[in-house]
Amino acid sequence: MQLRCALSVCHVLMLVLCLSTAEDFDWTKNNYGSFYYGTFPTGFSWGAGGSAYQTEGAWDKDGKGLSIWDVFSHKKGKIQLNDTGDSSCESYYKIKDDVSLMKELRLNHYRFSISWPRIIPTGIKSDHVNEKGIQYYDELIDHLLENNITPIVTLYHWDLPQVLQEKYSGWQNISMINHFNDYANLCFEKFGDRVKHWITFNNPWSVAVEGYETGEHAPGLKLRGTGAYRAAHHIIKAHAKVWHTYDTQWRAKQKGLVGVSLAGDWGEPVDISNQKDIEAAERYVQFYLGWFATPMFHGDYPQVMKDFVGRKSAQQGLGTSRLPSFSPQEKSYIKGTCDFLGIGHFTTRYITNRNDPPGRSSSSYFTDRDLAELVDPRWPDPGSEWLYSVPWGFRRLLNFVKTQYGNPMIYVTENGVSEKMMCTELCDEWRIQYYKEYINEMLKAIRDGVNVKGYTAWSLLDKFEWDEGFSERFGLYYVDFRNKNKPRYPKASVQFYKRIISSNGFPNQREVENWRRKAVEMCSSSNQLLAADPLTSHMEMVTEIVVPTVCTLSILISAVLLMFLLRRRN
Ligand code: NOJ
């Protein structure tokens, strides 16, 4: 997190520097373009999402095993304000409440993840399967389907069973592939009759880089220059194995789809007339999205990654590249293992070429890329330090996916914006603006011919935001974490997103403007409810703790008094 903050400050400073020195740099080449009024293809799927560790709570209930995030978040100093996901949104106990929020939004799908240690406490299937965990997901899936909401289910949203980390070093170890495959197979067996959209991994970039390279995320390892590449290598193979398992054992009967959800920020050249910047920007995207997508669609890592990491490794005196390689058999086994591609997209960077000298001690995924990231100080950034609103980058990324990977079926699995913790503001006009513009750029991309089948707003609820704890709120619904019942309140963006869904797009300027106005009008009454909440929590405390304690004490005192009086009479 600190690293991210420092980077952001650098970005802004560098860009200001660039602006003052580079006369020929033309911002107007990247103007926002006009708004496009129109509708999405019939059957387009609208959704919202969340993930197990971020929302469920019940971290040690009903036989669940520990995950690396349970352990990591309990260590002091790892998470903002030492928050943990122990109770989070308590979604484990709120299936019905949450599904009614989804109904209110008129969602077509809901994206959630299964907690591996909730259903296999040690991560090793032959050890023990936890029936209570299975029951929970059964209920969630059934309840979604009863309400005509399609479940899109992620198998791995970062919460690796702790036992696997301790025994094998987690994704550093090749044995994860078989354990993950056993777990996935169990999910297909138990839930595959009803779940038709499976995502193997969510954002493996983050797992690899933040989990094993910078250590900002669980398991917190800092294996610079090698850890991320090794973790990614095993994840890609595990993904392929699970796809083949589904393909050979379940597809004919269950007729579902298996994909992956990859994160991808867009990288735009700082100077579009400079070939070095153009190549650096392409490299940025290849080291991000391409690292995982290229093997899955074409069978091997992007050539540019092989060249850059290979060259730097040689200059560092290493006999082989720090980027592992696939055998010819592995390449053909991995190629073509995405029935659809999930895209999690939030933001964009300007990229310029920069030569990072290959010092052995400073070797890292970041310096391997030979580039610098910059941001435009004028881009809005309402919440997370790293999240600038740059809608046009979304359309470019979607078109990049279309041309690079043969126009695959795409589900946007994450897109949204956050605000900072202290803000109990439900009138989130900036989020309305973000969704309006990003969804519009997606519509333009569909008009360009990109095959986008669905969109998932991130996220349904405010929730545990990894190393940022509860300090960043991505939800359409506000969650009052101060109250142990974790009540949910609709933000204005709920009203706005709901209109986009029921119109399947943007009918005309007047109507869309009306939606915005009405949404903002409505949120002030929800704001009042929320403002009254501390009072309600206080009243609850009075009835649940103070009243029983006073009663018990009164009874005890009366009894003592009575005994005292009786004794005196005798
Ligand atoms: C991507 C992660 O998959 C998700 O869990 C997180 O909430 C968002 N990024 C926002 O940081």
Side-chain angles (χ1 to χ4, degrees):
M1 190 204 67
Q2 281 155 338
L3 183 80
R4 257 199 237 147
C5 287
L7 273 174
S8 304
V9 174
C10 284
H11 296 152
V12 176
L13 288 177
M14 287 178 74
L15 192 62
V16 171
L17 209 72
C18 270
L19 277 168
S20 48
T21 51
E23 295 288 332
D24 54 353
F25 184 70
D26 185 1
W27 289 104
T28 58
K29 289 191 179 127
N30 288 313
N31 63 10
Y32 287 82
S34 57
F35 198 83
Y36 181 87
Y37 290 94
T39 51
F40 283 81
T42 319
F44 189 82
S45 189
W46 296 99
S51 80
Y53 188 71
Q54 292 183 281
T55 61
E56 281 177 8
W59 70 292
D60 59 350
K61 295 289 181 307
D62 292 345
K64 175 181 166 293
L66 288 181
S67 81
I68 54 173
W69 272 96
D70 292 315
V71 173
F72 188 72
S73 67
H74 282 126
K75 288 185 184 149
K76 293 280 166 267
K78 299 291 182 192
I79 313 289
Q80 183 83 247
L81 298 178
N82 291 321
D83 286 338
T84 71
D86 291 2
S87 59
S88 193
C89 310
E90 300 279 29
S91 293
Y92 186 70
Y93 304 105
K94 287 178 176 280
I95 292 182
K96 290 212 165 123
D97 296 352
D98 287 346
V99 173
S100 45
L101 303 182
M102 298 171 208
K103 286 291 279 181
E104 181 183 343
L105 272 165
R106 316 212 178 116
L107 297 188
N108 306 116
H109 70 257
Y110 178 57
R111 177 180 176 222
F112 66 92
S113 75
I114 295 179
S115 155
W116 182 352
R118 195 179 287 291
I119 68 168
I120 305 178
T122 63
I124 301 165
K125 194 184 153 204
S126 55
D127 283 352
H128 173 58
V129 171
N130 180 28
E131 279 310 320
K132 288 215 165 138
I134 305 271
Q135 248 172 45
Y136 165 67
Y137 294 109
D138 264 339
E139 276 170 36
L140 174 58
I141 293 165
D142 287 344
H143 203 62
L144 287 168
L145 291 172
E146 281 158 22
N147 287 281
N148 285 324
I149 300 168
T150 304
I152 298 191
V153 181
T154 308
L155 292 167
Y156 189 83
H157 202 124
W158 306 359
D159 43 359
L160 185 79
Q162 174 67 11
V163 170
L164 295 181
Q165 188 62 45
E166 280 169 16
K167 259 192 162 166
Y168 305 107
S169 303
W171 291 107
Q172 291 303 293
N173 194 297
I174 195 160
S175 65
M176 284 310 97
I177 301 173
N178 284 337
H179 292 305
F180 183 66
N181 186 55
D182 290 346
Y183 156 62
N185 207 8
L186 176 70
C187 293
F188 298 149
E189 179 197 325
K190 300 284 181 189
F191 313 120
D193 53 339
R194 290 152 292 156
V195 174
K196 305 297 164 192
H197 295 78
W198 293 102
I199 291 169
T200 53
F201 288 91
N202 173 73
N203 191 346
W205 182 92
S206 235
V207 177
V209 173
E210 296 179 296
Y212 295 89
E213 170 102 17
T214 68
E216 290 163 292
H217 281 188
L221 299 180
K222 295 181 182 155
L223 309 168
R224 295 201 196 269
T226 55
Y229 295 132
R230 188 170 303 130
H233 202 64
H234 294 143
I235 289 174
I236 293 165
K237 288 188 188 180
H239 160 85
K241 179 148 192 170
V242 165
W243 184 89
H244 281 284
T245 297
Y246 191 81
D247 201 47
T248 52
Q249 296 180 38
W250 302 100
R251 191 187 294 282
K253 197 158 140 223
Q254 299 186 343
K255 304 195 168 41
L257 302 170
V258 177
V260 69
S261 172
L262 301 181
D265 291 354
W266 178 243
E268 183 75 6
V270 164
D271 177 356
I272 51 166
S273 63
N274 177 337
Q275 188 57 28
K276 286 220 174 290
D277 278 4
I278 294 174
E279 283 167 17
E282 157 109 23
R283 221 159 44 238
Y284 175 78
V285 181
Q286 294 292 5
F287 266 78
Y288 211 138
L289 179 80
W291 183 5
F292 300 90
T294 318
M296 292 176 193
F297 285 94
H298 300 307
D300 201 359
Y301 291 119
Q303 191 57 44
V304 74
M305 276 189 89
K306 295 198 284 185
D307 292 348
F308 271 64
V309 186
R311 183 167 44 80
K312 294 230 172 182
S313 306
Q315 286 165 347
Q316 286 156 350
L318 300 170
T320 52
S321 175
R322 285 179 282 102
L323 182 72
S325 55
F326 297 116
S327 71
Q329 292 81 358
E330 286 169 344
K331 287 181 190 169
S332 54
Y333 185 74
I334 293 165
K335 184 177 171 173
T337 55
C338 274
D339 299 326
F340 65 90
L341 179 59
I343 294 286
H345 174 79
F346 292 89
T347 195
T348 283
R349 292 285 180 270
Y350 278 109
I351 304 295
T352 188
N353 186 62
R354 180 182 71 195
N355 291 324
D356 278 312
R360 190 190 268 266
S361 56
S362 65
S363 94
S364 89
Y365 161 85
F366 293 100
T367 50
D368 283 341
R369 304 174 306 171
D370 272 354
L371 55 85
E373 301 175 36
L374 313 166
V375 296
D376 180 343
R378 293 167 298 182
W379 286 343
D381 61 334
S384 315
E385 299 276 359
W386 53 272
L387 207 171
Y388 297 84
S389 174
V390 194
W392 51 261
F394 193 19
R395 180 180 183 182
R396 292 183 196 210
L397 180 78
L398 290 170
N399 271 285
F400 175 90
V401 168
K402 174 182 168 228
T403 44
Q404 291 271 317
Y405 311 119
N407 204 10
M409 183 198 291
I410 295 176
Y411 277 87
V412 173
T413 40
E414 288 184 20
N415 178 241
V417 67
S418 57
E419 73 252 14
K420 284 287 181 188
M421 160 178 73
M422 294 315 173
C423 175
T424 43
E425 177 59 89
L426 299 178
C427 300
D428 55 347
E429 282 196 67
W430 66 90
R431 185 173 283 106
I432 290 182
Q433 190 66 12
Y434 181 99
Y435 276 129
K436 180 180 159 204
E437 292 178 348
Y438 270 77
I439 292 174
N440 199 247
E441 292 299 313
M442 175 175 66
L443 178 58
K444 290 179 192 167
I446 292 175
R447 303 274 144 178
D448 298 335
V450 184
N451 187 15
V452 187
K453 292 287 186 205
Y455 174 85
T456 314
W458 195 262
S459 46
L460 181 72
L461 304 174
D462 290 339
K463 57 191 174 352
F464 180 84
E465 191 47 46
W466 308 113
D467 53 325
E468 303 295 344
F470 296 102
S471 71
E472 290 177 10
R473 296 176 171 272
F474 275 84
L476 288 159
Y477 286 89
Y478 179 93
V479 177
D480 188 355
F481 296 109
R482 299 163 307 175
N483 181 328
K484 76 173 181 8
N485 293 323
K486 313 294 166 88
R488 286 84 157 117
Y489 298 88
K491 300 181 191 173
S493 47
V494 164
Q495 307 307 329
F496 191 79
Y497 186 41
K498 187 166 140 180
R499 301 278 169 224
I500 299 181
I501 297 177
S502 18
S503 304
N504 197 29
F506 306 96
N508 58 60
Q509 190 173 3
R510 213 173 47 163
E511 229 174 293
V512 174
E513 182 44 34
N514 259 339
W515 296 347
R516 196 199 58 78
R517 201 172 36 75
K518 286 197 184 137
V520 175
E521 272 165 27
M522 278 181 77
C523 64
S524 45
S525 53
S526 315
N527 254 344
Q528 281 165 12
L529 273 178
L530 178 58
D533 190 60
L535 191 65
T536 328
S537 325
H538 182 72
M539 307 258 290
E540 267 167 18
M541 196 182 80
V542 169
T543 49
E544 286 176 19
I545 304 172
V546 181
V547 173
T549 317
V550 170
C551 287
T552 321
L553 278 176
S554 315
I555 294 169
L556 278 175
I557 292 170
S558 316
V560 172
L561 270 177
L562 197 66
M563 275 167 60
F564 179 71
L565 286 174
L566 284 173
R567 273 214 193 137
R568 281 196 67 183
R569 276 182 75 186
N570 295 337

